[in-house]
Amino acid sequence: MAVRLLGLNCSPRDNSNSETLLRASFDRLKEKCPGDVECSIINLREVHIEACRYCEVCGKSKKDGKLRPCVQAGKDGVQEVLDRMVAADGLVVATPVYFGLPSDLFSKFIMRTRVLRHQDFRLANRPVGVMAIAARRSGGAETTIISTWLPFVRNGCLVVGNGDATCQFGAYGWAGKRGHILSDEWGMEQGFQVADRVYNVAKLVRTGIDTLDYASPMQFSYESGTRP
Ligand SMILES: Cc1cc2nc3c(=O)[nH]c(=O)nc-3n(C[C@H](O)[C@H](O)[C@H](O)COP(=O)(O)O)c2cc1C
């Protein structure tokens, strides 16, 4: 079965550098491994996202430990994105750099993945790579990449960089106006490297899971590490 990669484009604007980089990287990867990788992209700007309400019963009942959906499931478009993330073998996030951080669109969306964490870590062991696009050198691409990793670590994912070429933290696209990214040769190269790295690790993990018939032992607990 082909390795399934899902890209999350976190730019609020159309024809964004984030989307261009993500799409070009996936296209190159599909050319490199024909038939062995399936790539799809979700533009978060097109998804209706309600903010997390901190309802306190997120994903797992405190009373009987039964798993349950988010109280907002079906009221907006988030559940469909979550389902596609769970169905994917690997994830690639592309975001513009906003004040040295991922976009507010990313932050609003990622809080809603808490339900998956509470449902016994349904994103466990998926590799995640990040592409960050900044207009300025030293404008915060690396702080953005690392900040983007953090919620995925909380979700039990495996964060990866750009692999064997230089093993950096991810892809840094140097671009301001729409389309600038296409002339950033190194940024375009790094984007492909990130997609390729996620593909390789996803393939490794998938093969391990299938061969060992491995079931993740991760159980979410409300008590562990919290104040009594
Ligand atoms: C609110 C806002 C904050 C930004 N903050 C930064 C920043 O901290 N550093 C930087 O280099 N560029 C910053 N930029 C520029 C964008 O990161 C840059 O234009 C990028 O190419 C946009 O990507 P997109 O086309 O995928 O939306 C900012 C832009 C906006 C709108």
Side-chain angles (χ1 to χ4, degrees), residues 166-225:
T166 50
C167 250
Q168 286 167 184
F169 301 111
Y172 160 36
W174 183 25
K177 294 190 178 132
R178 287 178 173 91
H180 262 167
I181 189 68
L182 289 166
S183 56
D184 175 23
E185 211 176 296
W186 179 230
M188 295 296 285
E189 183 62 26
Q190 279 190 322
F192 165 68
Q193 291 165 0
V194 166
D196 191 37
R197 175 72 172 153
V198 172
Y199 159 77
N200 278 294
V201 177
K203 188 166 173 140
L204 196 64
V205 173
R206 249 274 301 283
T207 308
I209 289 171
D210 294 349
T211 313
L212 302 172
D213 200 16
Y214 175 87
S216 167
M218 293 173 77
Q219 299 277 313
F220 175 76
S221 154
Y222 280 106
E223 288 80 37
S224 179

Side-chain angles (χ1 to χ4, degrees), residues 2 4 14 16 20 24 37 52 85-86 103 108 125 129 138 147 152-153 161 185 202 225:
R4 292 154 302 188
D14 59 9
S16 62
T20 302
V37 63
C52 170
M85 289 169 86
V86 171
S103 68
K108 188 177 183 189
N125 302 321
S138 307
S147 305
F152 288 103
V153 175
E185 211 176 296

